[in-house]
């Protein structure tokens, strides 16, 4: 394999070597003795450097002097190289001018050498007047233009050497014609001139004036094509050096090259040549250097190469050569009689294969450079082999060499470059590695990356000299231990992706470090960064990401004045950003994401760091507003402030971010040049940056295309206000993510201007719509390049007709409109069908109606052919949707139709979806059996059919689902036997949920499953009576539910041991599953054990197993027969339920030596007969504690006050004594507090109403509390249940009870009283929802309430010693459902306002001393189910005409002066029972003279007006009716009492 990193490294080595070689060639070109035929010239030449050799008087020829001065006038002399040229008296002699050489006999200028003289301006044709010029070299200057070559070059007929390299000749289409008119030319150097490919015609090929002895041709880096070989073929006999590197040569290598018999150097590298190497190249017997690298040449090395006995350098790097390398080496120069001359062999980055042994190198004694990298080669050398060569460059990356370090490397004493990366070495890093390089300190490159090298890096005495260029890459290994200090002297150092741990000595060198590049990312650096960065002034790239570095970012990092990339992300840094970072003014990439940094975002970021292109603060704790100064970052391309606590609005000045307002001006990569103090010797290094970004909802790493990313990511903050209109000016923006904020208002209609936008995510805000109102407008349809669109979870009142805008988004691949109202979008499917590139569709919870399926829907020509992910969770879809989905049988990968209205049987068409990987159909109304054809889905990994009404058995065809990982059939009505044959091929199964069915699991006792499960949920399946042995084979499970399975065995010890093999594995469920499957609370645990509702007996063994501190653990062993002590290891769980057992021991469990993870603990209904230990300080996370229904005794421990997180505390039904400890006032989060049925005493504490403001349920029932009810209880605004019954409380009922706000509200109660218990897990806070329960005396019966507890609003003060009247204010508690004040000493009358309590279901005022009449307002309480007014002093008549007559007589018994129905004591003889309606006397019709027809008319009118005017009003006006009956009752009661008193007096006084 040829990795990108390996290829880059090899190219760097290659280019570095090439640059050294180019310098040597350049020096040779400058040496007069090397120029062909120039020996004949030099003896008669005089110049400024050998003035002593010339006669005393040599007159400069005036015409040539004027030509030179004219040349000087046209150029720009930046470095005053031509300062010696002039017409002044002291400058008369041009032969002594800089770069000018004259013939000492003729005085003609014969050589002009201004190579690399920093000249600019124009190269004038005046040079053509130097007609005797034999040598002209103007290479490597900076001429803006060169005058037409044909106007002056042909006049230089004596020219033998021409050098114009790096001059702009891109418009000189006739350059070859001019060259062809130089008859004596031997050396031609036109490298890097941008030469166009010439037009070759007969006059060019056969020019009579052209040179016949052209020997040296250097045309590197031009635009020449293969037609140039037509011209070059004229010089077959003379050409010695030919270099056409980096041109546009295409096609095969021309055979004409085989005729160039004198060729010594042939360079054709980095072109586009294809085909094989011609056999005729083997005829070039003088060839010393052959460079064909960087092409697409295939095949092998021809047999004819065996004759190239003078070949010193063979470079075939970066082609597609194939075949056995051993054969290629064997034939190479095998015909040469003497020892092989090969010194350089570059064969890297090809497709060569085979085994290479020492025999292949036995004749290569002169070899100094060996490159076999990036092939499929295996190097097999004898361990004692001593090579015949001494290598300087060793490039063997990606060859198979391991597992041990090759010993022959120890014999190489001179190497400077060593690349053995990705070679399969898994040995310990040897100490001799560095010592081998000490002989050549000028430059050192070592690459051991991508191996499994282990051990520590030895702290060698070897030091890299300060003047050397050193690159060390040990990345992607298994190295550990500290980083030795000598490595700080390197220039480039990459130690990333190891297990290194130490850091201090390395980062605190005593001298200035040469480092310009340092990558320590992805190690085990768990230290605080030392504050000693002042010696790293040359550092340009620093990457410390993905470690465990902690503490504050040191201030001395601000002394990294050359820093361009600074990555501190994925660590544990805290505090604010140090202001010293403002000194890092060259910073381009700054990434501190995924830390614990806090504070305001500094303003100086936008003022002092103007070059910032990438700024990532993602996932920290920054708060406050986005500073407006960030708008000054003109170069910013990526701004990521997501997942913080940033508030305020989005700055309107974002349209000043210039780079984001530009379209099409981005580089492919984000790269920087850096070099430090060694740049002048080795050149600048180019570093391509990379960054991890959330793109289209997925975290991905970008490098090769990072420069194209222009992104603003502000998601998951607390931003408010509207999205500013100015955001639409960022027309270069490619990604905009503002999701998960509190943004409101409307989206600007200008959003259509963002034509470059590829990804738009505005989900989970409170956006109302677009400018057209609260609607999702068609403006978004203008974003025609959009590929990712997510507007889910907003407040769009409606969505504008989808067909008016959605089809215009023809590039869309992802569409998310979840949780928006699409209930009226009956055409939604037609719009979706017009998105030809759509692959992902997410319309969760949109209320989608079932679409009308017709032919145009099923066969739309524009519909997507590659729809893969369809999530239609929670809509109103019916089974007709499968007609449409059947179009995607080949492409569908993920299908979720859960929580819809699917009815009938599971359609067989699903069996045709051959690519399906995920299928969710849970929580529908599907019936019938599971289709056999589902077993044909061979790619299926997740199948969830839970929560339906599916019956029958599990099909045997499921055994063919060999890729199945998750199977969930729970909560159905499945039955039948499940055997091992169902699972015979399910080797990948990890999640199995069959709970809540009627299945019987029948496995052979010796069965060993083919899978290793992580989640096993078999609750309510028949498995007993013994523990299934096959569970012992499961070594990886983290979630086990075998509750209610009929097991009556002894609890095995191996149960916990099965989980101990993977203590750190915490990724049982993906995050999306926690969010979507919250209706299955057990799925949120990373370790979940549920053995409840069985008959498991024995003791819980005190296992050595400990739940990892990083896990979220739930253990439920309730409702069994377990006994003995509770082992201490269970205190490390998060949720623990051991209720309804026979457990007895408690001390060791409740007194752990470390902080417990417990958030939920239920030990109720056991045999705990001990004193509660006073050691609760280690349970600070505990939110729920239930110790009820045991035999616990003694005082409530004071340390319970340290339960600062406690929400529910139940100590009822025990034997606790003493007062409530005042330390409980610290439990300020307490919601449910139940200490009923104990022996507690003392006053009811006032702090209950002051310090515990969240109390919703307070039960002190059946204790020995005394004294008054403290008025402070009236502060309990959230109280729903107040039970102080069966105590010794005295005094009156507080009038301030009407301040109990929750009891004054009607219809605002939740169905349950539930509690969210949180636990931090994997960086997230997970919540388990617990529904509370309480035992209450309701209508005289003790009952337990759970599912409807939230509806219970009750005050229970019975069986105390309360006195005084019932306060009128009690009638303000209109939300009250139950009021029990019985068995007290209350007096006075029942308040007439009692009728306001219309929610009342139970009213018990019995056994008091209440007098007076029963208020008629009780009529208004229509839902009163239980009423007890017995045993009081009530008198008068029970009000008639209401439901009061329907109660039992016992409800009114014990009130001797009370009469009326339903009592037997009637108030008058005329009164009848409710069963016998009153009978009236017949009316006698009298004859009357006034009775005329007019009388009857008047009688009728009078009746209508009188009867309906009075009685009708009483019937239809409720308040009048109540007042009228109240008046009648009062009159009747008054008369009745008066008559009764008169009768009594007559009886008494006789």
């Amino acid at each position: 394999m040829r990795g990108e990193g390996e290829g880059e490294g090899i190219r760097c080595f290659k280019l570095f070597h090439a640059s050294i070689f180019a310098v040597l060639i350049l020096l040779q070109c400058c040496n007069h003795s090397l120029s062909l035929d120039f020996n004949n010239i030099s003896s008669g030449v005089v110049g400024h450097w050998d003035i002593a050799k010339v006669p005393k008087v040599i007159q400069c020829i005036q015409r040539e002097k004027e030509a030179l001065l004219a040349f000087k006038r046209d150029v720009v002399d930046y470095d005053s190289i031509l300062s010696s040229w002039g017409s002044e008296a002291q400058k008369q002699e041009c032969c002594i001018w800089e770069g000018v050489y004259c013939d000492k006999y003729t005085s003609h200028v014969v050589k002009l050498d201004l190579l690399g003289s920093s000249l600019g301006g124009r190269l004038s044709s005046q040079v053509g007047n130097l007609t005797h010029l034999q040598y002209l070299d103007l290479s490597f200057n900076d001429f803006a233009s060169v005058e037409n070559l044909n106007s002056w070059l042909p006049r230089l007929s004596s020219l033998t050497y021409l050098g114009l390299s790096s001059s702009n000749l891109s418009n000189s289409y006739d350059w070859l014609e001019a060259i062809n008119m130089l008859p004596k030319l031997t050396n031609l150097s036109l490298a890097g001139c941008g030469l166009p490919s010439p037009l070759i015609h007969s006059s060019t090929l056969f020019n009579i004036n052209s040179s016949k002895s052209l020997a040296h041709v250097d045309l590197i880096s031009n635009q020449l094509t293969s037609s140039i070989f037509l011209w070059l073929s004229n010089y077959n006999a003379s050409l010695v050096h030919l270099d056409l590197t980096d041109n546009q040569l295409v096609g095969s290598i021309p055979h004409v090259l085989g005729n160039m018999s004198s060729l010594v150097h042939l360079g054709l590298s980095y072109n586009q040549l294809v085909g094989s190497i011609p056999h005729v190249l083997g005829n070039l017997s003088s060839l010393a250097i052959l460079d064909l690298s960087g092409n697409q040449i295939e095949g092998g090395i021809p047999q004819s190469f065996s004759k190239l006995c003078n070949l010193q350098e063979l470079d075939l790097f970066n082609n597609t050569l194939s075949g056995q390398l051993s054969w290629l080496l064997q034939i190479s120069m095998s015909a040469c009689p003497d020892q092989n001359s090969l010194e350089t062999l570059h064969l890297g980055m090809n497709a060569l294969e085979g085994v290479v042994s020492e025999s292949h190198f036995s004749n290569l004694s002169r070899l100094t450079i060996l490159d076999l990298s990036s092939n499929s080669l295996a190097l097999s050398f004898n361990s004692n082999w001593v090579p015949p060569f001494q290598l300087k460059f060793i490039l063997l990356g990606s060859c198979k060499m391991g597992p041990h370090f090759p010993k022959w490397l120890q014999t190489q004493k001179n190497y400077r470059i060593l690349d053995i990366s990705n070679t399969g070495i898994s040995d310990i890093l040897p100490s001799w590695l560095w010592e081998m390089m000490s002989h050549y300190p000028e430059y050192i490159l070592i690459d051991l990356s991508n191996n499994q090298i282990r051990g520590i890096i030895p702290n060698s005495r070897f030091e890299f000299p300060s003047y050397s260029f050193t690159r060390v890459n040990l990345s992607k290994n298994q190295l550990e231990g500290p980083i030795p200090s000598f490595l700080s002297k390197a220039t480039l150092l990459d130690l990333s992706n190891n297990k290194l741990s130490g850091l201090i000595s390395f980062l605190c060198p005593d001298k200035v470090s040469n480092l310009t590049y340092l990558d320590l990312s992805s190690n085990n650096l768990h230290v605080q960064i030392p504050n000693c960065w002042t010696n790293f002034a040359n550092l340009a790239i620093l990457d410390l990401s993905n470690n465990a570095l902690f503490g504050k970012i040191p201030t001395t990092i601000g002394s990294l004045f050359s820093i361009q990339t600074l990555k501190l992300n994925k660590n544990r840094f805290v505090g604010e950003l140090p202001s010293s970072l403002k000194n890092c003014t060259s910073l381009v990439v700054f990434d501190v994401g995924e830390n614990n940094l806090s504070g305001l975002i500094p303003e100086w970021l936008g003022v002092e760091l103007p070059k910032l292109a990438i700024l990532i603060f993602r996932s920290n704790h920054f708060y406050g507003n986005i500073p407006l100064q960030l708008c000054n970052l003109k170069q910013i391309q990526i701004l990521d402030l997501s997942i913080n606590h940033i508030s305020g609005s989005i700055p309107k000045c974002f349209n000043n971010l210039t780079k984001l307002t530009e379209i099409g001006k981005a580089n492919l990569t984000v790269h920087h040049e850096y070099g430090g103090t060694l740049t002048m010797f080795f050149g600048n290094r180019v570093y391509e940056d990379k960054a991890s970004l959330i793109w289209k909802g997925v975290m991905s790493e970008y490098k090769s295309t990072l420069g194209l990313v222009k992104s603003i990511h502000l998601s998951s903050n607390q931003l408010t206000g509207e999205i500013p209109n100015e955001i639409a000016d960022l027309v270069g923006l490619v990604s905009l993510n503002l999701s998960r904020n509190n943004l409101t208002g409307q989206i600007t209609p200008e959003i259509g201007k963002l034509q470059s936008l590829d990804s738009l995510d505005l989900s989970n805000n409170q956006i109302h719509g677009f400018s057209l109102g609260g609607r999702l407008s068609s403006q978004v349809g203008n974003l025609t390049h959009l590929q990712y669109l997510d507007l889910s979870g907003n407040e769009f009142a409606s969505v504008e007709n989808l067909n008016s805008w959605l089809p215009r988004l023809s590039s869309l691949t992802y569409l998310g409109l979840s949780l928006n109202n699409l209930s009226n979008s009956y055409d939604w499917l037609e719009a979706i069908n017009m998105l030809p590139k759509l692959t992902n569709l997410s319309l969760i919870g949109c209320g989608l109606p079932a679409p009308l399926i017709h032919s145009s829907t099923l066969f739309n020509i524009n519909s997507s052919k590659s729809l893969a992910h369809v999530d239609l969770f929670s809509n109103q879809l019916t089974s007709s949707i499968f007609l449409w989905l059947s179009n995607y049988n080949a492409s569908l990968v993920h299908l979720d139709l859960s929580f819809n209205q699917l009815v009938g049987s599971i359609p067989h068409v699903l069996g045709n979806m051959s690519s399906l990987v995920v299928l969710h159909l849970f929580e529908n109304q599907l019936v019938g059996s599971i289709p056999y054809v589902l077993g044909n889905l061979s790619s299926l990994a997740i199948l969830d059919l839970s929560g339906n009404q599916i019956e029958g058995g599990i099909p045997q065809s499921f055994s063919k689902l060999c890729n199945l990982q998750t199977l969930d059939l729970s909560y159905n009505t499945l039955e039948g036997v499940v055997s091992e044959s169902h699972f015979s091929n399910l080797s990948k199964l990890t999640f199995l949920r069959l709970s809540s069915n009627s299945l019987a699991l029948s496995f052979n006792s010796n069965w060993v499953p083919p899978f290793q499960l992580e989640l096993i949920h078999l609750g309510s399946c028949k498995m007993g009576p013994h523990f299934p042995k096959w569970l012992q084979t499961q070594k990886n499970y983290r979630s086990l539910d075998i509750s209610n399975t009929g097991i009556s065995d002894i609890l095995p010890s191996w149960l916990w041991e099965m989980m101990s093999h993977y203590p750190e594995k915490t990724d049982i469920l993906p995050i999306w599953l926690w969010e979507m499957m919250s209706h299955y609370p057990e799925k949120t645990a990373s370790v979940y054990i549920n053995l409840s509702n069985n008959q498991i007996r024995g003791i819980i063994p005190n296992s050595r197993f400990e739940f990892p501190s990083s896990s979220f653990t739930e253990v439920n062993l309730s409702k069994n027969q377990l006994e003995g002590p509770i082992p201490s290891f269970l205190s490390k769980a998060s949720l623990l339920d051991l209720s309804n057992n026979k457990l007895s021991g408690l001390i060791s469990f409740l007194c752990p030596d470390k902080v417990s993870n417990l958030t939920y603990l239920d030990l109720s209904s056991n045999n705990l007969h001990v004193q509660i230990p006073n050691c609760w300080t280690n349970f600070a996370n505990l939110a729920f504690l239930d110790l009820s229904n045991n035999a616990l005794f003694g005082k409530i421990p004071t340390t319970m006050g340290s339960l600062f997180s406690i929400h529910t505390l139940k100590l009822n039904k025990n034997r606790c004594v003493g007062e409530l400890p005042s330390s409980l006032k610290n439990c300020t989060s307490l919601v449910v507090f139940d200490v009923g049925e104990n022996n507690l005493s003392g006053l009811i504490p006032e702090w209950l109403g002051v310090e515990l403001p969240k109390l919703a349920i307070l039960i002190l029932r059946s204790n020995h509390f005394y004294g008054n009810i403290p008025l402070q209880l009236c502060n309990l605004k959230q109280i729903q249940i107040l039970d102080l019954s069966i105590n010794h409380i005295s005094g009156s009922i507080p009038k301030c009870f009407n301040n109990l706000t929750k009891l004054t509200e009607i219809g605002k109660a939740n169905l349950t009283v539930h509690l969210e218990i949180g636990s931090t897990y994997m960086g997230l806070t997970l919540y388990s929802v617990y529904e509370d329960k309480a035992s209450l005396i309701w209508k005289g019966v003790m009952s337990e309430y759970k599912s409807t507890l939230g509806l219970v609003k009750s005050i229970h003060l019975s069986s105390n010693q309360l006195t005084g009247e019932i306060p009128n204010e009690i009638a303000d508690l209109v939300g009250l459902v139950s009021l029990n004040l019985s068995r007290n000493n209350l007096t006075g009358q029942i308040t007439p306002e009692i009728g306001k309590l219309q929610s009342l279901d139970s009213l018990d005022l019995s056994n008091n001393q209440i007098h007076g009449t029963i208020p008629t307002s009780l009529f208004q309480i229509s839902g009163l189910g239980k009423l007890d007014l017995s045993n009081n002093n009530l008198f008068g008549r029970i009000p008639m005409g209401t439901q009061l007559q329907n109660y039992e007589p016992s409800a009114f018994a014990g009130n001797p002066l009370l009469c009326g129905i339903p009592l037997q004591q009637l108030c008058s003889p005329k009164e009848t029972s409710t069963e016998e309606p009153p009978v009236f006397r017949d009316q006698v019709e009298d004859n009357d003279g006034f009775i005329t027809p007019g009388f009857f008319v008047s009688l009728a009118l009078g009746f209508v007006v009188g009867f309906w005017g009075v009685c009708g009003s009483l019937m239809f006006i409720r308040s009048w009716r109540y007042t009228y009956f109240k008046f009648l009752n009062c009159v009747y009661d008054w008369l009745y009492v008066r008559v009764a008193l008169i009768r009594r007096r007559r009886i008494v006084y006789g």
Side-chain angles (χ1 to χ4, degrees), residues 724-995:
N725 293 338
E726 290 76 6
I727 210 83
D729 294 333
L730 305 179
V731 293
L733 207 59
V734 177
S735 174
L736 177 61
N737 190 336
L738 306 178
S739 63
R740 299 179 186 277
N741 279 287
N742 299 315
L743 297 172
T744 56
Q746 299 166 353
I747 302 174
T748 171
E750 301 293 316
I751 198 167
K753 290 164 57 178
L754 301 179
Q755 292 291 307
S756 300
L757 211 58
D758 174 81
S759 174
L760 176 61
D761 191 346
L762 304 179
S763 61
N764 295 290
N765 280 286
Q766 301 169 30
I767 301 170
H768 302 310
F770 288 70
S771 61
L772 300 178
R775 314 179 72 188
L776 179 54
S777 163
S778 58
Q779 290 291 333
V780 77
N782 294 330
L783 304 175
T784 53
H785 291 93
L786 206 60
Q787 295 186 36
Y788 183 98
L789 174 62
D790 195 348
L791 300 176
S792 305
N794 279 287
E795 297 182 355
F796 297 118
S798 62
V799 177
E800 195 169 319
N801 182 10
L802 293 178
N803 268 317
S804 68
W805 59 275
L806 193 54
R808 283 186 280 155
L809 303 180
S810 56
S811 299
L812 210 60
T813 60
Y814 180 99
L815 175 62
L817 294 176
S818 298
L819 303 176
N820 284 298
N821 184 6
L822 296 176
S823 58
N824 294 321
S825 297
Y826 295 97
D827 59 347
W828 67 269
L829 193 52
E830 293 181 23
I832 298 298
N833 256 6
M834 287 187 273
L835 299 174
K837 297 182 180 179
L838 194 67
T839 59
N840 288 51
L841 176 64
S842 181
L843 299 177
I844 299 171
C846 294
L848 288 173
L852 298 174
I853 308 292
H854 43 75
S855 58
S856 62
T857 309
L858 294 177
F859 306 108
N860 191 318
I861 194 171
N862 292 320
S863 65
S864 173
K865 304 298 186 292
S866 54
L867 191 59
H869 188 116
V870 176
D871 198 340
L872 301 176
F873 180 97
S874 188
N875 283 288
Q876 302 174 38
L877 304 175
T878 63
S879 297
S880 63
I881 194 67
F882 290 108
L883 290 174
W884 171 65
L885 290 170
S886 62
N887 288 330
Y888 307 103
N889 285 343
S891 63
L892 263 182
V893 174
H894 180 112
L895 176 60
D896 192 344
L897 295 174
S898 308
F899 281 99
N900 274 282
Q901 298 176 12
L902 307 180
V903 296
S905 59
I906 299 172
H908 283 64
V909 71
L910 290 172
N912 299 328
M913 297 179 178
S914 55
S915 301
L916 209 57
V917 175
V918 176
L919 177 59
H920 288 300
L921 299 177
F922 61 86
E923 298 296 337
N924 279 285
Q925 302 167 37
L926 296 170
V927 297
S929 59
I930 301 173
Y932 188 88
V933 292
L934 290 188
N936 298 332
L937 303 177
S938 57
S939 299
L940 200 64
I942 298 176
L943 176 61
D944 192 343
L945 305 177
S946 61
N948 283 284
Q949 302 167 34
I950 303 171
E951 56 192 13
I954 299 176
Q956 194 66 43
S957 63
F958 273 27
S959 63
K960 297 187 294 182
L961 300 176
C962 56
N963 288 303
L964 198 64
Q965 299 174 31
T966 295
L967 177 61
D968 193 344
L969 304 177
S970 59
Y971 296 94
N972 279 288
T973 57
L974 294 171
E975 56 187 7
V977 176
V978 179
S979 66
E980 54 262 39
S981 61
H982 288 91
F983 301 102
S984 57
N985 295 313
L986 307 188
S987 60
K988 297 182 180 179
L989 195 66
T990 55
F991 288 13
L992 177 62
R993 295 186 83 250
L994 303 177
S995 303

Side-chain angles (χ1 to χ4, degrees), residues 714-731:
L714 305 178
S715 71
S716 301
N717 279 290
Q718 300 163 17
L719 295 171
T720 56
E722 298 188 3
I723 301 173
N725 293 338
E726 290 76 6
I727 210 83
D729 294 333
L730 305 179
V731 293

Side-chain angles (χ1 to χ4, degrees), residues 1243-1255 1258 1267-1279 1282 1284 1292-1301:
L1243 299 172
I1244 297 176
E1246 296 178 355
W1247 50 259
L1248 284 171
V1250 178
E1251 306 293 341
L1252 309 181
K1254 297 181 180 180
L1255 269 180
L1258 176 59
N1268 295 348
I1269 299 174
L1271 299 180
Q1272 287 79 2
L1273 292 189
C1274 298
N1275 298 326
L1276 298 175
K1277 307 293 184 183
Q1278 302 300 318
I1279 201 75
L1282 177 61
L1284 309 179
S1292 60
I1293 299 173
K1295 294 183 177 182
C1296 60
F1297 266 14
N1298 60 350
N1299 290 331
L1300 304 177
T1301 308

Side-chain angles (χ1 to χ4, degrees), residues 453-650:
I453 301 171
R454 60 190 190 278
I456 64 171
I457 306 173
N459 199 354
S460 174
R461 295 179 181 179
F462 170 74
E463 287 196 8
F464 304 110
S466 58
Y467 53 85
S468 73
F469 180 83
T470 307
R471 176 175 178 177
V472 178
N473 188 350
L474 303 180
S475 65
K476 298 181 181 176
N477 281 289
Q478 301 293 320
L479 297 170
E480 52 191 1
I483 304 170
S485 56
F486 82 94
L487 287 177
S488 65
K489 298 297 189 297
T491 311
L492 292 88
L493 179 60
D494 190 346
L495 300 177
S496 61
N497 293 279
N498 279 286
K499 299 178 179 180
L500 299 168
S501 54
L503 191 65
I504 304 294
S505 62
F506 171 76
L507 284 184
C508 295
D510 53 356
K511 299 178 182 178
V512 174
S513 171
N514 292 334
L515 274 170
T516 59
Y517 177 106
L518 176 59
D519 190 347
L520 301 178
S521 62
S522 301
N523 277 285
N524 294 337
L525 301 176
H526 184 67
V527 293
Q528 190 166 356
I529 298 184
N531 198 11
C532 48
W533 289 87
T534 52
N535 282 330
F536 292 88
N538 297 317
L539 199 60
I541 311 294
L542 175 60
D543 191 346
L544 300 178
S545 63
N546 199 22
N547 281 287
L549 299 170
F550 59 87
K552 292 186 176 182
I553 298 174
T555 56
T556 54
I557 278 191
S559 61
L560 303 179
F561 304 120
S562 302
I563 198 74
Q564 297 179 39
T565 292
L566 178 57
K567 294 184 179 180
L568 304 175
N569 51 302
K570 296 184 180 179
N571 281 289
R572 302 175 187 173
F573 290 118
V574 297
E576 300 182 358
L577 292 177
S579 59
S580 61
L581 283 171
K582 67 176 65 173
N583 300 323
C584 304
T585 55
S586 298
L587 206 57
V588 176
V589 176
F590 186 30
D591 189 349
V592 291
E594 298 177 63
N595 279 287
N596 294 313
L597 296 169
S598 58
L600 299 171
I601 297 176
E603 296 178 353
W604 49 259
L605 284 169
V607 178
E608 306 293 342
L609 308 181
K611 297 181 181 179
L612 271 179
I614 298 177
L615 178 60
I616 300 177
F617 282 9
R618 178 181 63 244
S619 191
N620 278 285
H621 305 293
F622 291 107
Y623 56 84
N625 295 350
I626 300 174
L628 299 180
Q629 288 78 2
L630 291 190
C631 299
N632 297 327
L633 298 176
K634 307 295 184 184
Q635 301 300 316
I636 201 76
Q637 289 185 224
I638 297 174
L639 176 62
D640 189 346
L641 307 178
S642 60
I643 318 177
N644 279 284
H645 308 297
I646 300 171
S647 55
S649 59
I650 300 172

Side-chain angles (χ1 to χ4, degrees), residues 9-10 13-14 17 317 345-348 369-374 379 391-399 417-421 445 447:
I10 292 168
F13 295 145
K14 172 66 181 167
H17 175 55
F317 174 82
L345 179 60
H346 278 295
L347 298 177
I369 296 176
L370 175 62
D371 180 6
L372 303 179
S373 58
S374 299
L379 305 185
L391 296 177
K392 295 179 181 179
F393 290 10
I394 306 173
L395 303 171
L396 303 175
S398 298
C399 295
I417 294 180
L418 173 64
D419 178 7
I420 50 173
S421 60
L445 301 169
D447 190 348

